[in-house]
mmCIF file of all heavy atoms in Angstrom:
data_model
loop_
_atom_site.group_PDB
_atom_site.id
_atom_site.type_symbol
_atom_site.label_atom_id
_atom_site.label_comp_id
_atom_site.label_asym_id
_atom_site.label_seq_id
_atom_site.Cartn_x
_atom_site.Cartn_y
_atom_site.Cartn_z
ATOM 1 N N TRP A 413 146.248 -143.928 112.216
ATOM 2 C CA TRP A 413 145.118 -144.459 112.981
ATOM 3 C C TRP A 413 144.894 -143.678 114.252
ATOM 4 O O TRP A 413 143.764 -143.476 114.682
ATOM 5 C CB TRP A 413 145.366 -145.936 113.313
ATOM 6 C CG TRP A 413 145.057 -146.844 112.178
ATOM 7 C CD1 TRP A 413 144.511 -146.495 110.978
ATOM 8 C CD2 TRP A 413 145.260 -148.252 112.136
ATOM 9 N NE1 TRP A 413 144.385 -147.584 110.186
ATOM 10 C CE2 TRP A 413 144.836 -148.688 110.860
ATOM 11 C CE3 TRP A 413 145.770 -149.186 113.024
ATOM 12 C CZ2 TRP A 413 144.893 -150.016 110.476
ATOM 13 C CZ3 TRP A 413 145.829 -150.507 112.645
ATOM 14 C CH2 TRP A 413 145.396 -150.924 111.377
ATOM 15 N N ALA A 414 145.990 -143.259 114.861
ATOM 16 C CA ALA A 414 145.866 -142.525 116.117
ATOM 17 C C ALA A 414 145.108 -141.223 115.902
ATOM 18 O O ALA A 414 144.593 -140.623 116.847
ATOM 19 C CB ALA A 414 147.242 -142.247 116.700
ATOM 20 N N ASP A 415 145.043 -140.794 114.662
ATOM 21 C CA ASP A 415 144.384 -139.529 114.337
ATOM 22 C C ASP A 415 142.879 -139.688 114.145
ATOM 23 O O ASP A 415 142.150 -138.710 114.182
ATOM 24 C CB ASP A 415 144.997 -138.985 113.036
ATOM 25 C CG ASP A 415 145.436 -137.554 113.190
ATOM 26 O OD1 ASP A 415 145.639 -137.154 114.353
ATOM 27 O OD2 ASP A 415 145.560 -136.862 112.173
ATOM 28 N N PHE A 416 142.417 -140.929 113.908
ATOM 29 C CA PHE A 416 140.997 -141.148 113.627
ATOM 30 C C PHE A 416 140.187 -141.090 114.909
ATOM 31 O O PHE A 416 140.665 -141.466 115.977
ATOM 32 C CB PHE A 416 140.781 -142.508 112.947
ATOM 33 C CG PHE A 416 141.289 -142.546 111.523
ATOM 34 C CD1 PHE A 416 141.818 -143.710 111.004
ATOM 35 C CD2 PHE A 416 141.214 -141.418 110.713
ATOM 36 C CE1 PHE A 416 142.272 -143.752 109.703
ATOM 37 C CE2 PHE A 416 141.668 -141.456 109.413
ATOM 38 C CZ PHE A 416 142.201 -142.627 108.904
ATOM 39 N N ALA A 417 138.937 -140.643 114.761
ATOM 40 C CA ALA A 417 138.130 -140.433 115.949
ATOM 41 C C ALA A 417 137.461 -141.712 116.441
ATOM 42 O O ALA A 417 137.159 -141.835 117.616
ATOM 43 C CB ALA A 417 137.069 -139.377 115.655
ATOM 44 N N GLU A 418 137.242 -142.689 115.532
ATOM 45 C CA GLU A 418 136.471 -143.865 115.936
ATOM 46 C C GLU A 418 137.151 -144.617 117.068
ATOM 47 O O GLU A 418 138.351 -144.820 117.063
ATOM 48 C CB GLU A 418 136.265 -144.821 114.747
ATOM 49 C CG GLU A 418 135.211 -144.369 113.778
ATOM 50 C CD GLU A 418 135.798 -143.489 112.691
ATOM 51 O OE1 GLU A 418 136.948 -143.018 112.879
ATOM 52 O OE2 GLU A 418 135.122 -143.261 111.673
ATOM 53 N N ARG A 419 136.282 -145.008 117.999
ATOM 54 C CA ARG A 419 136.753 -145.716 119.179
ATOM 55 C C ARG A 419 137.596 -146.932 118.792
ATOM 56 O O ARG A 419 138.626 -147.220 119.381
ATOM 57 C CB ARG A 419 135.504 -146.155 119.969
ATOM 58 C CG ARG A 419 135.793 -146.857 121.244
ATOM 59 C CD ARG A 419 135.901 -145.861 122.358
ATOM 60 N NE ARG A 419 136.826 -146.367 123.360
ATOM 61 C CZ ARG A 419 137.026 -145.771 124.520
ATOM 62 N NH1 ARG A 419 136.419 -144.630 124.793
ATOM 63 N NH2 ARG A 419 137.866 -146.260 125.377
ATOM 64 N N MET A 420 137.141 -147.653 117.783
ATOM 65 C CA MET A 420 137.792 -148.909 117.463
ATOM 66 C C MET A 420 139.201 -148.682 116.911
ATOM 67 O O MET A 420 140.067 -149.546 117.043
ATOM 68 C CB MET A 420 136.967 -149.675 116.442
ATOM 69 C CG MET A 420 137.286 -151.144 116.446
ATOM 70 S SD MET A 420 136.132 -152.031 115.431
ATOM 71 C CE MET A 420 136.847 -153.661 115.506
ATOM 72 N N PHE A 421 139.427 -147.522 116.303
ATOM 73 C CA PHE A 421 140.758 -147.242 115.778
ATOM 74 C C PHE A 421 141.780 -147.112 116.901
ATOM 75 O O PHE A 421 142.956 -147.431 116.722
ATOM 76 C CB PHE A 421 140.749 -145.975 114.916
ATOM 77 C CG PHE A 421 140.497 -146.259 113.466
ATOM 78 C CD1 PHE A 421 139.435 -145.677 112.797
ATOM 79 C CD2 PHE A 421 141.333 -147.119 112.770
ATOM 80 C CE1 PHE A 421 139.207 -145.956 111.458
ATOM 81 C CE2 PHE A 421 141.115 -147.390 111.438
ATOM 82 C CZ PHE A 421 140.039 -146.809 110.776
ATOM 83 N N ILE A 422 141.311 -146.616 118.052
ATOM 84 C CA ILE A 422 142.233 -146.500 119.190
ATOM 85 C C ILE A 422 142.752 -147.877 119.559
ATOM 86 O O ILE A 422 143.952 -148.089 119.772
ATOM 87 C CB ILE A 422 141.528 -145.831 120.391
ATOM 88 C CG1 ILE A 422 141.078 -144.428 120.003
ATOM 89 C CG2 ILE A 422 142.458 -145.808 121.607
ATOM 90 C CD1 ILE A 422 140.263 -143.731 121.060
ATOM 91 N N GLN A 423 141.824 -148.848 119.581
ATOM 92 C CA GLN A 423 142.242 -150.207 119.926
ATOM 93 C C GLN A 423 143.131 -150.802 118.844
ATOM 94 O O GLN A 423 144.126 -151.461 119.136
ATOM 95 C CB GLN A 423 141.015 -151.080 120.124
ATOM 96 C CG GLN A 423 140.215 -150.658 121.339
ATOM 97 C CD GLN A 423 138.879 -151.339 121.384
ATOM 98 O OE1 GLN A 423 138.401 -151.855 120.372
ATOM 99 N NE2 GLN A 423 138.285 -151.326 122.556
ATOM 100 N N LYS A 424 142.761 -150.544 117.590
ATOM 101 C CA LYS A 424 143.583 -151.088 116.498
ATOM 102 C C LYS A 424 144.978 -150.447 116.532
ATOM 103 O O LYS A 424 145.982 -151.098 116.230
ATOM 104 C CB LYS A 424 142.908 -150.819 115.151
ATOM 105 C CG LYS A 424 141.695 -151.702 114.941
ATOM 106 C CD LYS A 424 141.889 -152.672 113.791
ATOM 107 C CE LYS A 424 140.825 -153.745 113.842
ATOM 108 N NZ LYS A 424 140.516 -154.350 112.553
ATOM 109 N N THR A 425 145.026 -149.161 116.899
ATOM 110 C CA THR A 425 146.315 -148.484 117.028
ATOM 111 C C THR A 425 147.188 -149.200 118.048
ATOM 112 O O THR A 425 148.356 -149.522 117.794
ATOM 113 C CB THR A 425 146.102 -147.021 117.465
ATOM 114 O OG1 THR A 425 145.218 -146.407 116.556
ATOM 115 C CG2 THR A 425 147.412 -146.277 117.506
ATOM 116 N N SER A 426 146.579 -149.491 119.206
ATOM 117 C CA SER A 426 147.358 -150.175 120.249
ATOM 118 C C SER A 426 147.794 -151.549 119.784
ATOM 119 O O SER A 426 148.922 -151.990 120.055
ATOM 120 C CB SER A 426 146.543 -150.288 121.525
ATOM 121 O OG SER A 426 146.185 -149.008 121.967
ATOM 122 N N ALA A 427 146.889 -152.239 119.071
ATOM 123 C CA ALA A 427 147.243 -153.566 118.575
ATOM 124 C C ALA A 427 148.419 -153.470 117.606
ATOM 125 O O ALA A 427 149.358 -154.269 117.666
ATOM 126 C CB ALA A 427 146.034 -154.201 117.886
ATOM 127 N N ALA A 428 148.387 -152.453 116.734
ATOM 128 C CA ALA A 428 149.475 -152.275 115.773
ATOM 129 C C ALA A 428 150.770 -151.937 116.497
ATOM 130 O O ALA A 428 151.855 -152.373 116.095
ATOM 131 C CB ALA A 428 149.116 -151.188 114.773
ATOM 132 N N ILE A 429 150.655 -151.157 117.576
ATOM 133 C CA ILE A 429 151.850 -150.821 118.355
ATOM 134 C C ILE A 429 152.467 -152.089 118.940
ATOM 135 O O ILE A 429 153.689 -152.270 118.942
ATOM 136 C CB ILE A 429 151.499 -149.804 119.474
ATOM 137 C CG1 ILE A 429 151.219 -148.440 118.854
ATOM 138 C CG2 ILE A 429 152.634 -149.709 120.483
ATOM 139 C CD1 ILE A 429 150.728 -147.410 119.830
ATOM 140 N N ILE A 430 151.609 -153.002 119.406
ATOM 141 C CA ILE A 430 152.133 -154.260 119.946
ATOM 142 C C ILE A 430 152.897 -155.014 118.864
ATOM 143 O O ILE A 430 153.989 -155.542 119.095
ATOM 144 C CB ILE A 430 150.987 -155.134 120.507
ATOM 145 C CG1 ILE A 430 150.398 -154.465 121.749
ATOM 146 C CG2 ILE A 430 151.492 -156.534 120.845
ATOM 147 C CD1 ILE A 430 149.284 -155.231 122.386
#
Side-chain angles (χ1 to χ4, degrees):
Chain A
W413 280 355
D415 231 21
F416 289 146
E418 283 90 345
R419 182 89 210 187
M420 201 171 175
F421 269 122
I422 299 175
Q423 293 169 342
K424 287 245 166 154
T425 306
S426 301
I429 288 174
I430 292 181

